[in-house]
Amino acid sequence: MDTMSNWHERLVRKTTRPTLVTTYRYWVWLAFLVAVFANGVFQYSKQWSNGLYVTDMRDRISWGLYITAFVFFIGISHAGTLISAILRASKATWRAPITRMAELITAVALIVGASFVLIDMGRPERIFNVFRYGRWQSPIMWDVMAITTYLTASVIYLYAPMIPDLALYRDRLSNKVGVARRFFYETVALNWRALPSQVRLLGKAITIMMLIIMPIAVSVHTVVSWIFSMTLRVGWNTSIFGVLFVAGAIFSGVATLILVMAVLRRIYHWEEYLTPKHFLYLGYLLAAFAGFMIYVNINEFLTSGFKLEEEGEFAFRQLFVDDFALMFWFYIIGGLLTPITLMLFRRTRTIAGVVVAAVLVDIAMFFERYFIVVTGLRVPLMPYEPASYSPTFVEWSIFVAGIALFLLLITIALKVLPMFAIWEMTEEHERNVAREPIPILQGAHEGGGDGAPESPPDVERLAEGGVS
Amino acid sequence: MSKRPETAESPPEPRREVPIPLNGVDRRTVLKYIGLGAIGAVPLVASTQLMDGLVSDVVAGPESVDETAQSGSAKTQSTRVRQWTMIIDLARCDGCQSQGTAPQCTLACIEGHFAPQPMEWIEVYEAELAGGGTQFIPTPCQQCENPPCVKVCPVGATFSTPEGVVLIDQDRCIGCRICMAACPYDRRFFNWGTPPIPPEALLADYNPEQQTPATRGTVMKCDFCPETVRGGTLPFCVQACPQDAIWYGDFEEDIATNGRQIVKATELISERNGYRLKEHLGTQPRVYYLPGHGEDVGRDPEDEGRMPTEWPWIERAEGAVTWTR
């Protein structure tokens, strides 16, 4: 059995691996992402010089893939903050290894999401008009305020708990990394020496940010939904949109976190820290949110479908049976019912099962954002034939470049930032060791990394056979 | 119907000086109408023949209008603020079937404003009637007094004037298009590419009441021609309608004209059962409709279809691309 210092040494060695070791695969992957991103930039240059003409958006369906991407990525950004803040607030001890990744996803997804607003603008060079002439009555301004606040808060909330880890990197890695990163660690570690006063201050700061960030996160996607529900469009004109968007945001955020965790775990062999229990718990969270989404959707569709006012029939028809039926039913069956089903049965309650559920949820939530934006605009307002919209190559390229940017920022962060809250994990481990004089008799480190006195029997079973 | 509607929101700040094209004859004609309204000699739409006689008398009558009223400000000398309105008589609209052309209101608007293809700022929709057959509905911007588009604009680029007109400042518009999502009448148009306009349009001095020249990446729509009217000319669509189906007027003075007759606007609306589009939305449009399907000009409701709109200068619009709505 490990001694404490052995455990800690191994933790530091394993978690700093991405920072210290750069394989050729990393470079290939980086080059691939840069290429995809560069293609997006190139396609955007066409849009810059020709206008939004290069998209398939037109007067009647005047928002499309870009706004979908905006809503989708801002949604994903709810992974981090909410998960990490809620779990921190509820003192869920198993959170320690996943909070950093979750918070990183938040910051990165926000940057990508916000840039899609700029990409969608007809006159991006006039963005500063928003500050010069901004009207606080406009839902767009609410978005500008909410997202900038959220980005600021998320970056602080990512950074504050990272300071002790950055200090660790400064102390342990300085002679192993180049000048640039050494300087970076020395600067951003803010002279952290784990002095009692520093620890107290940091604890306070994290608690305050945790409390502040929860209402901000909720407000952000509520306000995003208000861009739609503040209009008189059938399908958008509903008070449940705020709830639907926030729930969907956390839902897709959790799914994205699961995927990032699964990939990194595989590549860097972090099985000891990202245990089946983490996947299982996040899978439960996913299933719970799927259930909640079903409930909200029933609310939304029953209250309008029962009465079927005015263009309601058209709105329902295009969603349930006509043009968007495939997407819609994939969302309902693949994105909402399947994750619940996967989590119901022991056989599928594995890391693989959870990852499958997460993939389905992310695709389904993208579809959901897409059909919310497009079907809302497609309902004819006057006696004319319903318009059609299918994104052009330029739009897809830029969208894919958005995904590439998201992955690129995480890939770069791997080289620079501590991907785990090492100090929190160590604290947690110390607490568990102290609580149990006889260490867990597991031989392998699977599932026992942060001690598992409260693990359900599932977890042990998963630890044996459930590794994807 | 509110006779003295209030404006929803004042413009963000004083705008640049609006140059008024002074076209003597036309200006005087309308100023005369307005002066006539002021002295209360407003005939009703009792008889078209009678009206025609009256109007020709008025046009031939002596100059009675104080020239200082042309100051160019929205206000008349008596500090009145005009409350522009449009009343569209569907009973007289046949979608220009009888003329064998595309709706001439649309064509005149395109000519007058250099509206880029495919923007029909006043678009003639053909709608199904409840009992079969169709009616034509010329649809300009409804100039809502509770305008959903103005409420959502993040930069105040679209705004209501004290005269109750909703305008767009294309120099400020950032092209976010939330106003297009918000408009329940599909009356906003976006310059997706370099707008197809004739070269002469590029010579115009831009102001939000003229919207010329159009610029890429900004939103446009019917501006209700307040500048043209202040200059003494009726809006292009009103002038062009061969059936005199479109009335333009001022609620402040309670007067409306279709270019041939002058009537009391509120009475015209009430006596002919005027209504507004999607009244239940609470947008309070300034455009009223008198029900009908062109019966007053001999159109059969079963007689469907209208000529498509064309943009006469499209070959001359250099470097421009066109798109469909």
Side-chain angles (χ1 to χ4, degrees):
Chain A
M1 186 52 217
D2 287 339
T3 64
M4 190 58 218
S5 67
N6 271 349
W7 186 90
H8 184 72
E9 280 310 308
R10 193 172 61 248
L11 174 66
V12 172
R13 195 176 62 244
K14 286 206 162 190
T15 54
T16 56
R17 202 175 104 85
T19 313
L20 296 175
V21 183
T22 309
T23 59
Y24 79 95
R25 280 203 219 162
Y26 179 90
W27 290 113
V28 171
W29 171 242
L30 197 71
F32 169 72
L33 290 179
V34 169
V36 174
F37 181 70
N39 176 51
V41 173
F42 172 64
Q43 300 297 334
Y44 182 72
S45 73
K46 286 191 206 165
Q47 182 178 311
W48 181 275
S49 46
N50 297 308
L52 288 164
Y53 176 72
V54 298
T55 71
D56 195 45
M57 293 185 281
R58 291 296 178 258
D59 288 348
R60 277 165 186 158
I61 297 181
S62 52
W63 283 339
L65 194 57
Y66 297 154
I67 294 292
T68 306
F70 159 68
V71 179
F72 180 68
F73 278 108
I74 302 288
I76 282 179
S77 79
H78 284 57
T81 309
L82 228 68
I83 292 169
S84 113
I86 287 175
L87 295 184
R88 212 186 282 271
S90 59
K91 299 206 163 49
T93 51
W94 56 277
R95 70 160 201 276
I98 63 171
T99 48
R100 178 65 41 75
M101 282 177 207
E103 288 153 11
L104 182 67
I105 290 174
T106 294
V108 168
L110 266 178
I111 293 167
V112 177
S115 50
F116 272 102
V117 177
L118 270 170
I119 291 167
D120 186 68
M121 279 172 60
R123 298 299 290 241
E125 80 277 12
R126 292 184 184 170
I127 181 66
F128 291 106
N129 281 6
V130 169
F131 304 104
R132 267 171 81 191
Y133 306 111
R135 293 172 68 247
W136 62 266
Q137 300 96 321
S138 162
I140 300 249
M141 281 307 288
W142 307 343
D143 261 13
V144 171
M145 287 188 277
I147 290 172
T148 48
T149 310
Y150 188 39
L151 183 59
T152 313
S154 301
V155 169
I156 296 173
Y157 191 61
L158 169 70
Y159 177 50
M162 204 193 277
I163 294 172
D165 297 326
L166 290 166
L168 178 86
Y169 273 40
R170 174 198 61 197
D171 300 339
R172 303 284 290 270
L173 308 185
S174 276
N175 44 2
K176 298 178 192 167
V177 295
V179 188
R181 273 187 285 175
R182 190 186 315 161
F183 175 76
F184 172 75
Y185 294 135
E186 275 166 12
T187 313
V188 294
L190 299 182
N191 201 27
W192 175 265
R193 301 268 172 247
L195 303 174
S197 62
Q198 290 179 326
V199 173
R200 207 168 43 242
L201 197 63
L202 182 70
K204 254 187 204 166
I206 294 176
T207 307
I208 291 172
M209 285 316 295
M210 167 190 91
L211 293 174
I212 290 179
I213 210 152
M214 284 190 280
I216 294 179
V218 170
S219 78
V220 166
H221 230 241
T222 308
V223 169
V224 167
S225 85
W226 285 348
I227 284 192
F228 304 101
S229 55
M230 292 296 151
T231 67
L232 295 163
R233 301 254 172 183
V234 172
W236 287 357
N237 192 357
T238 162
S239 61
I240 208 152
F241 251 35
V243 182
L244 179 70
F245 273 52
V246 172
I250 303 171
F251 190 46
S252 59
V254 172
T256 308
L257 175 61
I258 290 171
L259 295 180
V260 171
M261 278 167 56
V263 171
L264 295 182
R265 176 182 195 263
R266 194 72 179 272
I267 295 173
Y268 294 107
H269 300 290
W270 286 336
E271 286 87 356
E272 182 179 350
Y273 312 111
L274 301 173
T275 67
K277 184 175 80 171
H278 294 112
F279 286 90
L280 189 70
Y281 283 8
L282 289 177
Y284 287 153
L285 202 55
L286 210 56
F289 269 94
F292 187 66
M293 292 291 286
I294 291 172
Y295 167 72
V296 175
N297 274 309
I298 289 174
N299 265 278
E300 183 198 356
F301 290 121
L302 191 63
T303 49
S304 53
F306 188 87
K307 293 166 283 189
L308 216 60
E309 287 176 293
E310 287 199 293
E311 303 99 340
E313 189 189 340
F314 181 89
F316 268 80
R317 209 168 265 287
Q318 65 176 354
L319 210 51
F320 282 65
V321 290
D322 289 345
D323 301 62
F324 296 86
L326 266 180
M327 267 187 198
F328 179 75
W329 291 110
F330 178 86
Y331 159 73
I332 296 285
I333 295 167
L336 299 183
L337 297 176
T338 313
I340 295 178
T341 318
L342 284 171
M343 296 311 293
L344 274 180
F345 298 103
R346 286 181 70 90
R347 189 178 289 275
T348 51
R349 214 181 295 150
T350 59
I351 292 186
V354 173
V355 168
V356 167
V359 171
L360 287 173
V361 167
D362 261 341
I363 298 173
M365 284 312 295
F366 169 73
F367 283 172
E368 193 231 20
R369 303 324 194 181
Y370 183 86
F371 67 66
I372 284 180
V373 172
V374 178
T375 63
L377 289 166
R378 189 167 174 267
V379 179
L381 298 170
M382 300 296 288
Y384 57 77
E385 285 300 306
S388 65
Y389 167 71
S390 58
T392 60
F393 181 72
V394 172
E395 287 174 278
W396 282 117
S397 299
I398 294 174
F399 173 68
V400 173
I403 298 177
L405 178 63
F406 175 78
L407 299 174
L408 191 62
L409 291 174
I410 291 180
T411 307
I412 293 170
L414 276 169
K415 277 283 150 250
V416 182
L417 302 178
M419 295 301 282
F420 286 90
I422 299 170
W423 64 280
E424 282 190 288
M425 289 165 72
T426 309
E427 268 181 16
E428 195 49 47
H429 186 71
E430 279 168 2
R431 211 171 300 142
N432 285 331
V433 171
R435 208 185 298 151
E436 295 171 60
I438 305 165
I440 317 141
L441 300 169
Q442 291 240 322
H445 300 295
E446 293 277 349
D450 59 349
E454 76 281 64
S455 303
D458 273 341
V459 169
E460 267 102 88
R461 197 190 60 78
L462 268 170
E464 289 144 25
V467 183
S468 64
Chain B
M1 199 209 79
S2 59
K3 290 187 180 179
R4 194 65 58 84
E6 288 169 7
T7 12
E9 192 171 328
S10 47
E13 62 194 40
R15 322 198 71 75
R16 78 195 72 169
E17 274 304 310
V18 175
I20 305 290
L22 291 175
N23 179 331
V25 175
D26 285 336
R27 183 197 69 240
R28 276 199 298 277
T29 312
V30 161
L31 288 177
K32 259 173 229 153
Y33 290 169
I34 291 165
L36 210 114
I39 56 167
V42 184
L44 305 183
V45 236
S47 145
T48 318
Q49 277 76 20
L50 176 68
M51 280 306 306
D52 284 348
L54 269 174
V55 172
S56 45
D57 282 354
V58 170
V59 173
E63 290 276 346
S64 63
V65 180
D66 187 344
E67 290 294 320
T68 54
Q70 316 160 6
S71 66
S73 119
K75 294 169 178 172
T76 63
Q77 218 180 10
S78 56
T79 70
R80 270 179 166 166
V81 179
R82 299 292 177 192
Q83 298 298 316
W84 306 124
T85 177
M86 196 176 275
I87 303 157
I88 299 176
D89 186 353
L90 301 184
R92 293 192 67 81
C93 178
D94 62 357
C96 284
Q97 281 177 338
S98 58
Q99 315 297 312
T101 63
Q104 293 185 6
C105 51
T106 315
L107 295 177
C109 177
I110 290 167
E111 292 250 15
H113 286 289
F114 304 115
Q117 191 175 2
M119 302 186 188
E120 298 175 64
W121 292 355
I122 179 166
E123 184 166 354
V124 178
Y125 287 116
E126 187 172 17
E128 304 271 320
L129 289 165
T134 60
Q135 65 176 158
F136 287 104
I137 309 178
T139 317
C141 169
Q142 302 291 298
Q143 311 294 348
C144 306
E145 282 167 42
N146 181 19
C149 52
V150 170
K151 286 194 219 171
V152 296
C153 180
V155 294
T158 187
F159 55 94
S160 296
T161 69
E163 296 177 332
V165 176
V166 176
L167 296 176
I168 304 169
D169 182 349
Q170 278 93 1
D171 280 351
R172 186 186 286 194
C173 175
I174 59 172
C176 70
R177 312 192 295 294
I178 193 174
C179 56
M180 302 178 71
C183 176
Y185 302 99
D186 179 47
R187 287 299 77 204
R188 289 182 158 253
F189 308 81
F190 191 69
N191 284 302
W192 295 97
T194 303
I197 47 174
E200 59 267 31
L202 298 170
L203 301 172
D205 272 339
Y206 170 82
N207 80 68
E209 294 190 336
Q210 288 284 336
Q211 305 181 71
T212 305
T215 46
R216 191 176 74 205
T218 60
V219 178
M220 307 186 90
K221 69 170 189 67
C222 158
D223 53 31
F224 234 40
C225 290
E227 185 180 84
T228 317
V229 173
R230 252 183 263 116
T233 313
L234 285 167
F236 301 111
C237 52
V238 180
Q239 290 184 50
C241 179
Q243 310 289 12
D244 303 324
I246 308 177
W247 300 77
Y248 193 84
D250 167 25
F251 277 134
E252 164 65 17
E253 208 168 345
D254 202 359
I255 184 174
T257 175
N258 60 358
R260 297 180 68 81
Q261 304 160 283
I262 316 156
V263 296
K264 199 171 170 186
T266 51
E267 280 193 22
L268 175 65
I269 292 165
S270 294
E271 288 179 0
R272 293 281 308 280
N273 303 309
Y275 66 95
R276 296 181 286 186
L277 296 182
K278 306 194 185 190
E279 196 124 29
H280 63 279
L281 295 179
T283 50
Q284 309 265 15
R286 275 287 179 87
V287 176
Y288 289 78
Y289 289 90
L290 309 177
H293 56 264
E295 66 269 32
D296 285 4
V297 291
R299 176 178 173 266
D300 187 313
E302 301 295 335
D303 200 2
E304 293 177 12
R306 69 163 175 88
M307 300 289 282
T309 309
E310 279 170 6
W311 278 256
W313 62 76
I314 203 63
E315 279 91 36
R316 293 190 289 123
E318 277 170 38
V321 288
T322 56
W323 53 88
T324 54
R325 291 202 76 204

